[in-house]
Amino acid sequence: MTNQPLRANVLFRTLLTLAISAAGGLVATALQLPAGWLMGGALAVAVAALSGVRVAMPGWLRDITFVLTGMSMGASVARDSLSLIVQWPITLLALVLELVIIIASTGYMLRKLFGLDRATAYLSSFPGHLSFVMGIAATGLGDSRQITIIQVIRIMMLTLCVPLGALFLPIEHFAVAAPVKFMDLPTLVLLALACAVTGVVFGRLRVPAGMVLGAMAAATAAKLGGLFEGAMPVPLASATFVLVGALIGSRFAGITVTEFRRAAIGGLIATAMSVGVVTAIAYGASLVVDMPFGQIWLGLSPGALEGMGALGVALGYDTAFIAAHHVSRLLMLTIAIPVVAMMVSASDSQPA
């Protein structure tokens, strides 16, 4: 009985969060902004969280969001999309170069301009793998609150940058082709179950972004294997964007306005530097490979896989390319983060 009020409170906060995300998405869509359901929802929930509204996304709903995102990405893979895989080594090399420049330059900036200690500065500069970064910070290395705020600002700003860039800059995006048919209910249910099971397996195997990647792998395999042809129903696709927006925005939960202001300038400058590096390297890669600049930008951008993948679906890009590069980035960071952390720790332990 004692748990019932707590459960009712969590349920109310969750429903309120989803309502805020849906309202924000509706407004952005009405304004004809690209990826409006996602961008508007993320921004609305973030503003609500910073304003003191107790937003929430419980773990079970996060997992559902990851599965639906991966399923939508897999369902959006074109049968001929993997024919461009021979060009991926070039963009993967660009990704390595980008990560080195972003970590070195933003870490140095946060130290020199904002006076952050080495550990806080460099853990804040890693472009992705937030859970891993926070796990290391929890051991006492760096200021975990500062790191959290700077990293969350990065995720939020990158989610907003792509649709706004598609609106105001010469970044091409494609209207998603109207599907000939949608999946019927039995196909949809079976595919969702396969995606959920595969996502759980990937998660148990500790694959980076396992729930999203596992769901995408199952949906992609089923589609390329000819097991289904229809697209996800529009209401379900829109609901997925609303969920992803709520998930991104809810990461601001628990952050006070004072804490946000203290870290916001550094976080915004670090994000701007990252965007600049990504844009320059993506443009250079676009001169060599036969892909849209916007697609390369999304593949190289250091945002969360679920957010960038959902944006790829909304903007009509090749989700296989985007997922492959984001998983590669996470794998690279899995090695780089502990190495840099050990270097920083050893440096800080040396006598001045």
Side-chain angles (χ1 to χ4, degrees), residues 289-309:
V289 298
D290 183 23
M291 295 182 196
F293 169 75
Q295 177 174 295
I296 299 172
W297 199 102
L298 257 186
L300 299 185
S301 63
L305 174 58
E306 65 273 11
M308 297 300 104

Side-chain angles (χ1 to χ4, degrees), residues 83-106:
S83 64
L84 298 175
I85 197 170
V86 293
Q87 301 184 64
W88 289 8
I90 297 174
T91 50
L92 287 172
L93 285 174
L95 179 62
V96 173
L97 176 62
E98 166 196 300
L99 293 179
V100 172
I101 294 174
I102 288 176
I103 294 169
S105 61
T106 57

